[in-house]
Amino acid sequence: MVFNRVEGVGRRLPGGRDADVRQKIALFPDTQECQETIDLIEKESDHIIDATEQRLKQFIYPWDITPHLTFAIFRGQADDDQVKSVMDGYNELLRKQPLVVSLGSLTFRHASVRSKKRK
């Protein structure tokens, strides 16, 4: 997979003024370079969502699957301008040289599992 940009994800930055500045930064793939991989991730997530909806009748899934890799979390010490500066710097680096990775097996996690630390 080829990651060619970063974007903010998750909740708003604590204490931030700008509603568009998020608490986390994630790498996003270049859809032109790795469409087959993105299609695979979306297909796998559709299977999981379908199975969940069959078992939990009141399950509501109102969002899209967007493959990304979260790599930075700001806990309140940074302000909007600092987060934007970090994102601009990463995006400049990725414009010059995208990050190419090889994916192993896929693991889909929900919010309660993401917060648990792995051993």
Side-chain angles (χ1 to χ4, degrees), residues 22-80:
R22 300 294 165 177
Q23 187 176 11
K24 301 176 183 179
I25 297 177
L27 290 159
F28 280 80
D30 181 348
T31 57
Q32 301 300 315
E33 290 287 329
C34 54
Q35 188 59 51
E36 186 175 307
T37 304
I38 291 172
D39 290 344
L40 172 66
I41 292 170
E42 289 175 349
K43 185 177 176 182
E44 292 294 320
S45 65
D46 286 342
H47 289 301
I48 292 168
I49 292 165
D50 290 344
T52 303
E53 287 176 333
Q54 288 175 8
R55 288 166 180 77
L56 300 173
K57 300 302 181 197
Q58 294 181 353
F59 177 73
I60 298 172
Y61 192 72
W63 59 91
D64 294 326
I65 294 295
T66 305
H68 66 277
L69 175 65
T70 302
F71 70 95
I73 301 173
F74 297 94
R75 303 243 186 243
Q77 298 299 321
D79 63 30
D80 293 357

Side-chain angles (χ1 to χ4, degrees), residues 11-24 74-84:
R11 297 184 183 115
R12 290 178 58 180
L13 183 69
R17 304 175 313 277
D18 189 335
D20 293 331
V21 177
R22 300 294 165 177
Q23 187 176 11
K24 301 176 183 179
F74 297 94
R75 303 243 186 243
Q77 298 299 321
D79 63 30
D80 293 357
D81 294 333
Q82 290 170 321
V83 173
K84 288 178 188 178

